[in-house]
Amino acid sequence: SPGQGIYLKPANEDWRLLSDGLPEDTTVNRLQMSAGVTYACTNKGLYRLKLKQWEYEEVGHPCYQYKEEWGYGFAATQSGLYYKSSDKWKESAYGHSIVYDFLFTPQYLYIGLDHGISMYDRMTDRWADFELGFGVTALAANRDNLFGATEKGELVVSNGRGGFSTVQFPDIFIFSVISRQSYVYVCTDRGLYRIGRLGERLTLYSVRPGVPVTDIDWLGTELYMATLSKGVQMMQT
């Protein structure tokens, strides 16, 4: 919750505070689960949940994302991308930039930065930078395109010509984009949408209208939505 700590709801029980081990004035940017372990990306660094206590993960910078891939743990921080090797965190890339999010594909690693998007090619061991002039705070992809949510609340999409285009939807502010199977979902201040096309035109199909949705996740066929003012909502999918 914004500025109010982390909460846990066991099955058939009420929500309860789960913030032991976190420093005072901790802001949680994102919760992430990997291999059954819960991580909290915060303005005080990265934490992992052990039993009912949060433990510091030795990432000495504000953290925005955590994922495990290619046999390593990766953390997006205010001072670049870090990875964990042999129980030690090491700087990977972009130490002088804010890394908000990153996305793995079999061949590529995409990074959302405070000034655009970067791509790492595993086959050639090379980086390619796309300077956009604004921050990209979330990344998602389907079979055809890479999508990003910008710090201005707009949608950025790969254009098939080696670059990216910005798409503006009137009166909609985009908080995040999230991949799920072959779809990309868009969390906005007007509700939850799914990206689709009408002919050649990119469009948004409404999934849950009217409620500002900031994040989503699934448990089986149940879709859970974090909202700005209506708590956590659930719908069957």
Side-chain angles (χ1 to χ4, degrees):
S1 62
Q4 300 296 320
I6 299 172
Y7 286 79
L8 168 71
K9 186 183 186 308
N12 302 319
E13 296 183 25
D14 294 329
W15 289 95
R16 64 171 182 256
L17 190 63
L18 185 68
S19 294
D20 289 348
L22 295 178
E24 292 186 7
D25 302 322
T26 296
T27 298
V28 180
N29 298 316
R30 183 182 265 116
L31 289 176
Q32 190 68 275
M33 293 197 70
S34 184
V37 180
T38 304
Y39 293 85
C41 305
T42 82
N43 65 328
K44 305 290 186 179
L46 181 66
Y47 289 79
R48 64 180 292 170
L49 185 63
K50 188 172 183 180
L51 298 178
K52 297 181 180 180
Q53 179 110 359
W54 294 98
E55 295 186 348
Y56 186 55
E57 265 291 311
E58 303 298 332
V59 177
H61 305 283
C63 184
Y64 299 100
Q65 176 66 281
Y66 175 83
K67 295 178 184 177
E68 293 179 0
E69 192 70 41
W70 302 346
Y72 299 97
F74 289 86
T77 81
Q78 191 167 311
S79 298
L81 181 68
Y82 279 72
Y83 72 99
K84 191 173 186 178
S85 175
S86 302
D87 295 325
K88 292 184 178 180
W89 285 97
K90 301 177 182 179
E91 183 180 309
S92 174
Y94 296 96
H96 298 290
S97 299
I98 300 174
V99 177
Y100 290 113
D101 198 8
F102 51 92
L103 178 69
F104 292 94
T105 67
Q107 183 175 349
Y108 300 105
L109 165 62
Y110 297 96
I111 300 178
L113 300 161
D114 56 355
H115 53 81
I117 294 175
S118 181
M119 179 185 74
Y120 172 70
D121 188 333
R122 292 187 68 192
M123 307 299 287
T124 63
D125 192 28
R126 292 182 178 179
W127 291 90
D129 294 324
F130 301 90
E131 295 288 340
L132 303 179
F134 48 77
V136 177
T137 57
L139 293 171
N142 58 20
R143 295 179 180 178
D144 301 316
N145 296 99
L146 177 71
F147 298 92
T150 79
E151 60 188 357
K152 299 179 180 179
E154 300 169 341
L155 183 71
V156 63
V157 55
S158 57
N159 57 26
R161 302 186 300 274
F164 292 87
S165 301
T166 301
V167 181
Q168 296 178 332
F169 295 97
D171 302 322
I172 292 179
F173 186 97
I174 295 174
F175 296 119
S176 183
V177 289
I178 297 171
S179 304
R180 171 71 172 181
Q181 297 177 349
S182 60
Y183 298 113
V184 172
Y185 293 85
V186 182
C187 301
T188 82
D189 63 343
R190 295 300 182 94
L192 178 66
Y193 295 85
R194 176 174 57 82
I195 292 178
R197 289 189 179 273
L198 283 175
E200 296 299 320
R201 182 183 177 185
L202 198 70
T203 189
L204 298 180
Y205 292 101
S206 179
V207 177
R208 186 62 172 253
V211 179
V213 176
T214 59
D215 198 8
I216 59 174
D217 204 355
W218 280 260
L219 181 61
T221 60
E222 296 175 340
L223 169 62
Y224 289 85
M225 296 163 285
T227 75
L228 280 180
S229 55
K230 302 294 184 179
V232 177
Q233 297 193 358
M234 184 270 287
M235 64 180 291
Q236 290 288 336
T237 59

